């Protein structure tokens, strides 16, 4: 079965949600000497020489030769820290179409615009009975950024469901499709964060989502929360995740933040065994062979940083993994706090923390 959805067509109840989140399709918008405060959830008031909001590859490609370089492709800026003004062009995706490419007995293939709000995509998948992204409910950002960052939560990662990433070369305007393997996904990593950083703008991501129940409930208290809501349905899992996140994570509209600021460090099992002898309550998760993943939030909290601040930058009082802008913080303020935390954790545990946030 192949079908597509458009704003012009009358749609069913489930598709009404799509119509609500899409709104009116955007057209290209170019702003010179523009403030970036509305384009990063940390709320840093940096400037860009130019911001281009583009709604299709056909709009963007002819313009590339005329734009100032370097170029930075972003979504909602939910994982960025601007260290200074950006002297170049910031590309903001407003590609918000969605298309059902195909379906078989066990899965659907869905093509989603990079500017589609990630949480709206998750909600749409849940409404349609599609499994694979429900644990990623309420993560801020857009679909394109999810493919770059390989976002994850509660045992799921976006890369688990990604089939293809469709991208535009910022050098010559050529189009390229990256298979999942070519994206080189790892924990919070992809080729777009490393070898190809700053070289492509993502236009669409193609996901393969399941039609058969496949709940993942082993992380934290998710299983208990879902059971209390009535069992492991898509709606209950998504609702449980949303409630858990709301209890411990700040709303960027109220308190500027970039979500989880640090990655959970992965250390050798022998090192963890040694640390466990000193800190018997240190939690862990399984990682690749011979390695152990330790929650960065636990390390930061037990190093005494939870709720503390340095100037206008602070560690969130309910979740030590989140750094917040309490008002007027610059990127340098945020990094001064991050560096102090990193040094403290290194001194106490011998573990080096690395940022999950992208430092621009």
């Amino acid at each position: 079965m192949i079908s597509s959805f458009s704003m012009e067509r009358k749609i069913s109840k489930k598709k009404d949600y799509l119509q609500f989140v899409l709104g009116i399709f955007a057209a290209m918008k170019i702003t010179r000497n523009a403030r970036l405060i509305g384009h990063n959830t940390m709320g840093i008031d940096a400037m860009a020489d130019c911001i281009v909001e583009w709604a299709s590859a056909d709009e963007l490609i002819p313009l590339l030769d005329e734009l100032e370089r370097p170029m930075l492709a972003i979504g909602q800026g939910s994982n960025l820290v601007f260290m200074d003004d950006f002297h170049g062009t910031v590309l903001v995706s407003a590609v918000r179409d969605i298309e059902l490419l195909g379906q078989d007995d066990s899965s659907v293939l869905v093509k989603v615009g990079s500017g589609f709000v990630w949480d709206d995509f998750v909600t749409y998948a849940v409404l349609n009975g599609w499994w694979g992204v429900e644990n990623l409910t309420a993560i801020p950002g857009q679909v394109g950024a999810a493919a770059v960052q390989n976002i994850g939560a509660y045992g799921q990662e976006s890369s688990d469901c990604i089939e293809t990433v469709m991208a535009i070369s910022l050098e010559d305007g050529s189009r390229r499709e990256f298979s999942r393997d070519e994206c080189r996904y790892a924990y919070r990593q992809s080729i777009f964060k490393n070898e190809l950083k700053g070289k492509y703008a993502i236009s669409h991501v193609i996901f393969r989502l399941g039609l058969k129940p496949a709940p993942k409930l082993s992380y934290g208290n998710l299983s208990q929360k879902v059971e209390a809501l009535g069992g492991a349905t898509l709606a209950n899992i998504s609702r449980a995740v949303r409630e858990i996140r709301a209890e411990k994570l700040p709303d960027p509209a109220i308190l500027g933040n970039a979500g989880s600021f640090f990655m959970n460090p992965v250390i050798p099992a022998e090192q963890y065994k040694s640390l466990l002898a000193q800190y018997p309550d240190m939690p862990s998760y399984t990682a690749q062979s011979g390695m152990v993943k330790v929650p960065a939030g636990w390390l930061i909290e037990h190093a005494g940083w939870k709720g503390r601040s340095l100037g206008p930058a602070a560690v969130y009082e309910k979740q030590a993994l989140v750094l917040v802008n309490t008002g007027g913080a610059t990127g340098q303020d945020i990094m001064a706090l991050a560096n102090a935390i990193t040094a403290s954790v290194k001194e106490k545990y011998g573990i080096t923390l690395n940022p999950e946030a992208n430092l621009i």
Side-chain angles (χ1 to χ4, degrees):
M1 178 176 72
I2 299 176
S3 64
S4 62
F5 308 113
S6 69
M7 292 299 298
E8 292 78 14
R9 188 187 298 178
K10 287 187 177 180
I11 48 183
S12 68
K13 184 175 181 181
K14 289 179 181 177
K15 294 174 188 174
D16 284 341
Y17 181 80
L18 177 64
Q19 189 173 28
F20 170 75
V21 299
L22 282 179
I24 299 172
F25 284 108
M28 178 170 284
K29 179 181 177 182
I30 301 175
T31 309
R32 304 283 179 180
N33 299 315
R35 295 176 69 190
L36 288 163
I37 193 167
H39 294 282
N40 71 102
T41 60
M42 184 62 86
I44 293 174
D45 197 9
M47 299 289 292
D49 292 347
C50 180
I51 296 179
V52 175
E53 298 178 56
W54 57 287
S56 72
D58 289 340
E59 277 188 345
L60 178 62
I61 290 171
L63 193 65
L64 289 175
D65 286 341
E66 308 300 323
L67 296 176
E68 299 173 50
R69 297 175 185 273
M71 297 183 194
L72 173 67
I74 69 172
Q76 289 183 317
S78 59
N79 202 47
L80 303 177
V81 177
F82 285 102
M83 302 300 295
D84 205 339
D85 293 341
F86 187 78
H87 296 294
T89 302
V90 174
L91 302 174
V92 179
S93 174
V95 185
R96 302 191 184 106
D97 57 320
I98 187 168
E99 183 178 359
L100 179 62
L101 299 178
Q103 179 175 331
D104 57 28
D105 291 340
S106 61
S107 66
V108 294
L109 206 59
V110 188
K111 177 182 173 184
V112 189
S114 56
F116 205 103
V117 174
W118 175 262
D119 192 42
D120 291 337
F121 168 56
V122 173
T123 300
Y124 189 63
V126 169
L127 285 171
N128 280 278
W130 300 339
W131 292 80
V133 292
E134 58 281 355
N135 288 24
L136 306 181
T137 294
I139 294 179
Q142 295 180 341
V143 165
V148 172
Q149 189 70 14
N150 189 20
I151 59 172
Y154 300 103
Q156 283 184 346
E157 292 183 326
S158 54
S159 63
D160 295 340
C161 299
I162 290 176
E163 286 270 305
T164 306
V165 175
M166 303 173 68
I168 304 160
S169 169
L170 299 180
E171 181 178 348
D172 61 15
S174 61
R175 306 183 195 220
R176 178 174 171 183
E177 295 188 3
F178 293 84
S179 69
R180 183 186 183 281
D181 288 343
E182 288 174 323
C183 291
R184 300 183 192 174
Y185 285 121
Y187 172 62
R188 303 298 178 271
Q189 296 293 331
S190 73
I191 195 171
F192 306 109
K193 286 188 69 176
N194 296 293
E195 299 97 313
L196 298 183
K197 185 175 182 179
K199 295 184 178 180
Y200 282 86
I202 293 174
S203 64
H204 292 84
V205 182
I206 298 176
F207 296 88
R208 185 173 294 279
L209 301 175
L211 294 175
K212 298 178 180 179
K216 292 185 177 181
L217 305 175
S218 61
Y219 268 56
N221 63 338
L222 182 58
S223 178
Q224 297 94 314
K225 191 85 168 179
V226 168
E227 190 62 31
L229 291 173
T233 66
L234 275 169
N236 286 345
I237 294 170
S238 180
R239 179 182 170 186
V241 171
R242 190 177 302 280
E243 290 180 358
I244 292 170
R245 290 181 67 89
E247 290 169 1
K248 65 180 183 178
L249 297 174
D251 182 346
I254 299 172
L255 192 60
N257 72 90
S260 298
F261 192 89
F262 296 100
M263 292 187 287
N264 293 322
V266 178
I267 64 175
E270 284 301 313
Q271 181 183 3
Y272 176 72
K273 184 178 179 181
S274 176
L275 287 167
L276 197 61
Q278 302 176 66
Y279 309 101
D281 59 341
M282 180 182 285
S284 68
Y285 300 103
T286 57
Q288 61 266 40
S289 179
M291 305 295 284
V292 173
K293 184 186 295 184
V294 180
W298 188 94
L299 296 172
I300 296 166
E301 179 175 352
H302 287 78
W305 282 98
K306 189 175 184 180
R308 288 178 58 186
S309 62
L310 286 180
V315 180
Y316 189 51
E317 60 186 11
K318 295 182 180 180
Q319 171 52 268
L321 195 54
V322 177
L323 305 190
V324 297
N325 178 356
T326 60
T330 65
Q332 300 296 332
D333 292 327
I334 300 297
M335 282 312 300
L337 175 60
N339 290 337
I341 292 169
T342 300
S344 181
V345 168
K346 179 69 173 179
E347 181 179 3
K348 184 168 184 176
Y349 301 108
I351 295 175
T352 300
L353 295 179
N354 292 303
E356 180 177 331
N358 293 307
L359 311 178
I360 307 301

